[in-house]
């Protein structure tokens, strides 16, 4: 039997083998390329499920770890493993992989081999970013993600794809360069204070920095992560990238890539610089609430169906940041569930928009109406995903948003009892995001599916078996997480407690405000 650590390495490196496999297949047989990619991704998912099941919720240490010296002179090691921070995100990434491939079977007709090779490459980079437990390795994977995304948008994207892909890369690269500088300073400090040469997260958590140094380093890391999330006002690359990306690109971007930022805050930003994190918490919470409300307001006025979902992502990730910044156990766990939930609903909705775009070649909301009459299957799935995005109880969206808000409210109430009133107002404002979310999504669904029939290019066919299978998998996962959140939350609970200990709060995010 293979060891679980070996299986985790297989989960990580399988896409690299997939790239080689795809490269060996003939270009004139695109269906072979598609199916080979699908089965390789499906295998990765099966292995990820095995690891998820084997993951011991009662063990706070790193599980299935592999540690190999890589550049020993610098203290860099190949160090990967699963913990409560990344176990659900690894599962989400592996789950969406085969679905994204299956969803783009008919959409991608040019450079099919290169496209699937890029899907493998981005899968490898995303998996690596989540499982890396060494800062050098993390950074390599973090930067590697840019390459396939740049090409996916730049080669298979829409009209303004070059503008969108350059904007995406420039924004992200700018944040990353600051993170690199902060990283080098952090490792150098560890070496000069303790004599230890190491990039391992576990060692870096122990670095005790003066408050002013922490402030600068936190700012550098936070900027890099905030661009990825994206938090308002660093969000303007997102709608362009989403609108111009092919469906697969949008689904990966919304499903997994945006979680890199929130994961970065959870795994590195807050725990590495606890003093600065506490100092910045009121700012982070305020920006999170602005993102929730502003993102929802922007979604409300869009006429491009892809932009509605793109702006809704900004709003939904605001809840994740709010839950994390509350530093409350329930809020932190809610943030993790919300990350996974948004990954499911947003990827599903982007795929559905891709499906209708393939049929009608229009993204203009005004061109649509009355689809429920001619596409009943499509409409049922669209409404289910819409309700998940709104956060209807029984769906994962409810669990994530409710717990994030509950955690934020508990933190705000603690501050209120200590004589600080504004956090309570802030969380009250965040709740309006739930109402606005229902407003823009239901209004979108009403104009899109109901009313007078005016779908372009009639007649159009309803969902194929392949499309139904992809969407059914997402909907089942959405309800599973919504109805049975206890099991996944037990896997993240110790990590959430560890996060709290690393940031060492006096039980409230607003300890510093007093």
């Amino acid at each position: 039997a293979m060891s679980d650590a070996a299986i985790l390495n297989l989960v990580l490196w399988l896409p690299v083998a997939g790239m080689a496999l795809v490269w060996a297949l003939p270009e004139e047989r695109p269906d072979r390329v598609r199916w080979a990619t699908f089965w390789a991704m499906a295998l990765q998912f099966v292995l990820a499920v095995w690891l998820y099941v084997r993951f011991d919720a009662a063990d706070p240490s790193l599980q299935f770890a592999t540690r190999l010296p890589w550049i020993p002179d610098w203290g860099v090691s190949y160090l990967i493993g699963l913990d409560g921070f990344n176990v659900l995100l690894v599962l989400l990434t592996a789950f969406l992989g085969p679905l994204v491939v299956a969803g783009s079977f008919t959409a991608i007709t040019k450079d099919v081999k290169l496209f699937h090779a890029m899907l493998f490459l981005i899968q490898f980079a995303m998996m690596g970013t989540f499982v890396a437990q060494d800062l050098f390795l993390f950074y390599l994977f973090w930067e590697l993600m840019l390459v396939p995304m740049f090409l996916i948008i730049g080669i298979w994207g829409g009209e303004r794809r070059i503008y969108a892909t350059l904007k995406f890369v420039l924004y992200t690269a700018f944040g990353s360069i600051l993170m690199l500088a902060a990283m080098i300073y952090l490792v150098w400090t560890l070496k000069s204070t303790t004599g230890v040469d190491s990039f391992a997260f576990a060692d870096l958590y122990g670095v005790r920095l003066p408050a002013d140094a922490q402030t600068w380093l936190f700012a550098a890391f936070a900027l890099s992560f905030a661009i990825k999330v994206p938090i308002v006002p660093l969000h303007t690359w997102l709608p362009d990238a989403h609108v111009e990306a092919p469906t697969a690109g949008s689904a990966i971007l919304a499903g997994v890539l945006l979680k890199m930022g929130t994961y970065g805050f959870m795994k590195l930003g807050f725990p590495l610089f606890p003093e600065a994190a506490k100092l910045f918490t009121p700012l982070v919470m305020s920006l999170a609430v602005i993102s929730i409300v502003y993102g929802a307001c922007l979604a409300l006025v869009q006429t491009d169906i892809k932009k509605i979902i793109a702006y809704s992502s900004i709003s939904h990730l605001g809840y994740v940041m709010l839950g994390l910044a509350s530093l409350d156990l329930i809020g932190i766990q809610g943030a993790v569930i919300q990350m996974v939930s948004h990954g499911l609903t947003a990827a599903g909705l982007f795929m559905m928009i891709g499906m209708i775009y393939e049929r009608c070649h229009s993204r203009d909301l005004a061109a649509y109406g009355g689809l429920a009459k001619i596409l009943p299957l499509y409409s049922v799935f669209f409404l289910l995903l819409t309700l998940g995005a709104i956060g209807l109880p029984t769906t994962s969206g409810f669990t994530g948003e409710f717990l994030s808000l509950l955690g934020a409210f508990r933190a705000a109430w603690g501050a209120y009892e200590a004589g600080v009133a504004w956090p309570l107002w802030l969380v009250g404002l965040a709740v309006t995001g739930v109402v606005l979310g229902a407003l823009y999504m239901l209004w979108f669904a009403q104009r899109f599916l109901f009313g007078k029939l005016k779908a372009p290019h009639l007649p159009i066919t309803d969902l194929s078996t392949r499309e139904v299978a992809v969407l059914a998998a997402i909907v089942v996962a959405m309800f599973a997480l919504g109805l049975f959140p206890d099991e996944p939350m037990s896997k993240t609970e110790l990590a959430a407690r560890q996060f709290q200990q690393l940031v060492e709060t006096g039980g409230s995010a607003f300890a510093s405000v007093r």
Side-chain angles (χ1 to χ4, degrees):
M2 251 174 115
S3 76
D4 290 335
I7 292 177
L8 183 62
N9 279 293
L10 198 57
V11 167
L12 173 59
W13 290 95
L14 210 112
V16 178
M19 281 178 80
L21 171 71
V22 160
W23 220 243
L25 291 169
E27 180 73 71
E28 57 275 7
R29 299 290 300 276
D31 264 4
R32 272 191 189 176
V33 173
R34 292 181 184 121
W35 280 110
T37 308
F38 174 78
W39 287 116
M41 293 274 199
L43 174 61
Q44 187 191 33
F45 173 59
V46 170
L47 295 172
V49 170
W50 167 258
L51 289 178
Y52 173 78
V53 172
R54 301 272 297 176
F55 184 84
D56 179 7
D59 178 4
S61 63
L62 196 61
Q63 301 182 36
F64 322 135
T66 303
R67 184 194 295 266
L68 300 166
W70 181 22
I71 313 175
D73 290 356
W74 297 357
V76 174
S77 49
Y78 169 78
L79 175 59
I80 64 167
L82 285 187
D83 55 27
F85 293 101
N86 63 16
V87 65
L88 289 180
L89 295 166
V90 165
L91 191 63
L92 172 72
T93 309
F95 174 69
L96 289 178
L99 299 182
V100 166
V101 174
S104 55
F105 260 38
T106 50
I108 302 294
T109 48
K110 76 164 180 181
D111 297 326
V112 176
K113 266 170 67 164
L114 182 64
F115 178 78
H116 288 85
M118 288 305 106
L119 287 186
F120 274 131
L121 186 57
I122 200 160
Q123 192 77 352
F124 172 61
M126 295 187 306
M127 266 309 173
T129 309
F130 285 138
V131 300
Q133 303 291 333
D134 175 282
L135 196 49
F136 188 88
L137 192 62
F138 173 87
Y139 188 78
L140 278 187
F141 280 123
W142 179 268
E143 292 295 89
L144 181 63
M145 285 188 296
L146 279 181
V147 180
M149 203 65 204
F150 177 81
L151 293 172
I152 286 171
I153 300 173
I155 298 175
W156 295 274
E159 311 274 286
R160 295 169 70 236
R161 58 182 182 268
I162 303 302
Y163 167 76
T165 198
L166 282 173
K167 189 168 176 182
F168 164 67
V169 168
L170 287 173
Y171 259 80
T172 317
F174 172 69
S176 301
I177 287 166
L178 292 174
M179 177 161 81
L180 179 64
M183 217 170 98
I184 293 165
Y185 183 86
L186 187 64
V187 172
W188 175 79
T189 309
L190 177 70
K191 166 111 174 129
S192 60
T193 52
T194 62
V196 176
D197 255 324
S198 175
F199 277 83
F201 293 166
D203 293 331
L204 294 170
Y205 287 150
V207 178
R208 285 285 159 257
L209 292 158
D212 56 338
Q214 277 200 32
T215 304
W216 284 107
L217 295 180
F218 178 79
F221 271 84
L223 189 68
S224 181
F225 297 147
I227 289 170
K228 245 339 187 243
V229 174
I231 297 174
V232 174
L234 303 164
H235 65 284
T236 59
W237 64 269
L238 178 85
D240 291 311
H242 266 318
V243 166
E244 299 308 325
T247 302
S250 292
I252 290 168
L253 197 57
V256 187
L257 267 181
L258 301 186
K259 311 303 172 297
M260 296 299 165
T262 48
Y263 173 74
F265 273 109
M266 181 170 68
K267 184 79 183 166
L268 295 169
F270 283 98
L272 283 174
F273 316 110
E275 299 304 313
K278 276 185 280 197
L279 192 67
F280 278 105
T281 291
L283 176 68
V284 174
M285 278 190 111
S286 305
L287 288 174
V289 173
I290 290 169
S291 295
I292 291 171
V293 177
Y294 184 63
C297 290
L298 284 172
L300 206 51
V301 296
Q302 298 307 317
T303 55
D304 179 319
I305 54 179
K306 246 184 157 179
K307 275 194 176 162
I308 297 174
I309 310 300
Y311 281 117
S312 80
S313 293
I314 297 171
S315 186
H316 285 301
L317 284 153
Y319 292 108
V320 180
M321 289 311 300
L322 186 66
L324 284 180
S326 73
L327 305 179
D328 177 271
L329 189 66
I330 291 179
I332 298 160
Q333 289 199 275
V336 178
I337 298 289
Q338 175 69 352
M339 278 192 243
V340 179
S341 171
H342 174 264
L344 296 170
T345 54
L349 284 165
F350 272 121
M351 284 192 205
M352 292 212 72
I353 286 170
M355 288 165 189
I356 199 76
Y357 184 78
E358 265 187 73
R359 290 161 168 78
C360 302
H361 304 291
S362 173
R363 284 198 316 263
D364 182 15
L365 184 53
Y368 292 99
L371 289 179
K373 291 189 186 67
I374 46 168
L375 305 177
L377 257 178
Y378 180 89
S379 304
V380 167
F381 277 113
F382 193 86
L383 273 174
L384 284 171
L385 285 168
T386 295
L387 295 173
I390 290 170
L392 186 79
T394 70
T395 67
S396 57
F398 173 74
T399 315
E401 279 177 27
F402 178 73
L403 293 174
S404 303
L405 286 167
L406 183 60
F409 183 77
R410 283 178 20 157
W413 189 255
Y416 177 70
E417 288 185 326
V420 184
W422 66 265
L424 218 47
W425 285 101
L426 194 67
V427 179
L429 189 60
V431 177
T432 61
V434 179
V435 182
L436 289 168
L439 193 60
Y440 64 74
M441 282 310 294
L442 290 174
W443 195 31
F444 173 24
Q446 186 219 337
R447 290 182 292 172
F448 189 53
L449 303 177
F450 303 104
K452 210 161 80 47
L453 180 64
K454 55 173 175 185
H457 310 297
L458 286 167
I460 48 176
T461 53
D462 208 346
L463 297 179
S464 67
T465 315
R466 170 183 59 87
E467 290 167 327
V468 169
V470 168
L471 296 172
I474 291 177
V475 167
V476 167
M478 178 181 86
F479 281 112
L481 188 59
L483 289 166
F484 309 107
D486 203 39
E487 213 277 331
M489 278 174 68
S490 71
K491 305 241 185 204
T492 62
E493 186 182 347
L494 288 178
R497 289 187 190 280
Q498 190 189 347
F499 174 83
Q500 276 185 310
Q501 278 157 8
L502 286 166
V503 190
E504 300 176 313
T505 56
S508 162
F510 301 98
S512 60
V513 182
R514 294 170 216 165

